Amino acid sequence: MAEAVAGADGVLAVAAAASGAVPGRGPGGVPATGPGGGARWHCLGPAESFRDGNAHGVRAFGTDLVAFAGRAGAVRILDARCPHMGGDLRGGRVVGDAIDCPVHQWRWDGSGRCIGGSPKLLPVRAWVTGERDGLLYVRAAEGAAS
């Protein structure tokens, strides 16, 4: 997997070089960095590798995340920790357009909304994703570690 690195041209320097993308620009031409920090993007590798019906553990911006694709193929990324008892969603099962927690089978959709199994509708943080030139990117969340 190609991994992005921080630099004067922004965090997409390695991914941009590998894909022919414009350095300093994120998916869809969004600036990778800007005045005062701007949006930061991290390349996770070929988007197609996340469309196999499985949960994929990834780490970006100092945070453990889970990536999965629903029926339509859009890759979604959530925090990897279940808010109920801290179960690791990276070991969860993809069901339709959602992911089940392996501990109690509580279920979240790609927006982080709890859609089943829970008497408490606890959300999980969802991350912004983008694809460009066949690569999957995740954008840093507000307050995420660098």
Side-chain angles (χ1 to χ4, degrees):
M1 260 189 232
E3 186 165 319
V5 294
D9 293 327
V11 297
L12 294 179
V14 170
S19 68
V22 178
R25 305 295 286 183
V30 177
T33 59
R40 296 172 296 147
W41 294 88
H42 182 88
C43 181
L44 299 174
E48 200 57 38
S49 66
F50 294 90
R51 293 190 177 99
D52 60 1
N54 296 310
H56 296 266
V58 296
R59 185 158 178 87
F61 307 110
T63 305
D64 289 325
L65 306 171
V66 62
F68 65 97
R71 292 178 288 232
V75 180
R76 304 296 183 207
I77 298 179
L78 305 175
D79 279 350
R81 284 269 183 240
C82 172
H84 176 227
M85 293 184 66
D88 191 344
L89 297 177
R90 295 173 294 181
R93 184 173 58 103
V94 177
V95 179
D97 292 323
I99 188 161
D100 275 354
C101 175
V103 178
H104 291 113
Q105 285 69 53
W106 289 17
R107 190 173 291 175
W108 287 270
D109 67 11
S111 71
R113 187 172 54 101
C114 185
I115 60 170
S118 169
K120 302 174 189 174
L121 300 178
L122 300 171
V124 172
R125 180 171 53 175
W127 293 65
V128 175
T129 63
E131 288 185 36
R132 184 171 186 173
D133 298 324
L135 297 173
L136 176 67
Y137 297 87
V138 61
R139 188 174 75 190
E142 295 274 330
S146 296

